[in-house]
Amino acid sequence: MSPEEFMTLLAFATAMSFTPGPNTTLSAALAANHGLRRAVGFIIAVPTGWTLMMVACGLGLGSLVLAVPALRWAVKVVGVLSLVWMAWKLAGSRSLGEADPARLEVTFWQGVALQFVNIKAWMLALAMAAGWVTSAAGQPAANPGQRLAIVCAVMLVFALTSNLTYALVGSLLRHWLSQGRRLIGFNRLMAALLLATAAWMAVA
């Protein structure tokens, strides 16, 4: 991979990783509601799941998903329903206390699985597979395995950094959110962002 390609990859990864999406929204919401330590599992799950998906796309899974309409619809439907469910749970969470039955919980493996029904993640993985893994300067790449390893390493770092950054912001808001009805408003705002993402996924 040439230095020019690598710099373009870094710019693309920055733009895609740090713009708001379901992962960063959940990272901020989980850290705000549960604390940073409880959100670490999800923060690590995002780059883990995304790297697995990127490897799968580099090995041809992306082409299969694009070629089979039923698979595309399955990914879309499950992804939309997952976000709607999480938005509903988040909107109903009213307390920072452990006893709140409405608290949104996302395990490590749920976070990994979420990447495979995240339309934004699929679009990013497919774009990178086509633009940086299988081709170079518009020509078929001679070393796709090496290029796939570079892309995965870059995105693993960026996915971890972006979600950790959003989670840190969420955790810093915990004290402020504990006063009055601020947490309810915050959770409903985060839920609205998840629903907006679900709506975008439904029409994408």
Side-chain angles (χ1 to χ4, degrees), residues 33 50 58 72 74 133 201:
N33 283 269
W50 199 93
R72 293 203 307 271
V133 176
M201 287 173 57

Side-chain angles (χ1 to χ4, degrees), residues 7-201:
M7 294 305 297
T8 304
L9 173 62
L10 292 181
F12 185 70
T14 301
M16 294 300 293
S17 298
F18 284 90
T19 51
N23 289 326
T24 52
T25 300
L26 282 171
S27 292
L30 289 170
N33 283 269
H34 302 293
L36 183 60
R37 181 176 297 181
R38 292 283 299 278
V40 166
F42 180 76
I43 294 168
I44 297 175
V46 172
T48 301
W50 199 93
T51 300
L52 291 174
M53 185 173 67
M54 186 67 237
V55 171
C57 283
L59 296 176
L61 179 61
S63 299
L64 178 64
V65 171
L66 289 176
V68 182
L71 282 178
R72 293 203 307 271
W73 277 103
V75 169
K76 179 177 289 190
V77 169
V78 174
V80 169
L81 291 178
S82 298
L83 288 182
V84 169
W85 177 80
M86 287 186 286
W88 175 72
K89 289 288 290 183
L90 188 56
S93 182
R94 299 171 175 271
S95 169
L96 294 175
E98 295 288 339
D100 188 346
R103 281 160 59 93
L104 173 65
E105 298 278 358
V106 183
T107 67
F108 172 81
W109 290 113
Q110 286 174 329
V112 170
L114 182 62
Q115 307 315 303
F116 287 86
V117 292
N118 181 345
I119 298 298
K120 180 182 177 182
W122 272 107
M123 292 174 64
L124 176 58
L126 291 170
M128 288 190 157
W132 280 276
V133 176
T134 61
S135 65
Q139 302 296 323
N143 52 348
Q146 181 188 70
R147 297 169 73 87
L148 177 61
I150 293 172
V151 168
C152 287
V154 168
M155 287 308 302
L156 189 150
V157 171
F158 274 79
L160 181 63
T161 303
S162 62
N163 283 279
L164 179 58
T165 300
Y166 275 79
L168 285 170
V169 173
S171 66
L172 291 173
L173 291 173
R174 275 176 64 80
H175 177 71
W176 183 79
L177 291 173
S178 66
Q179 303 172 38
R181 295 174 56 86
R182 291 172 179 172
L183 179 67
I184 296 175
F186 174 82
N187 284 341
R188 288 178 178 175
L189 174 61
M190 295 295 102
L193 291 175
L194 289 178
L195 288 176
T197 303
W200 172 80
M201 287 173 57

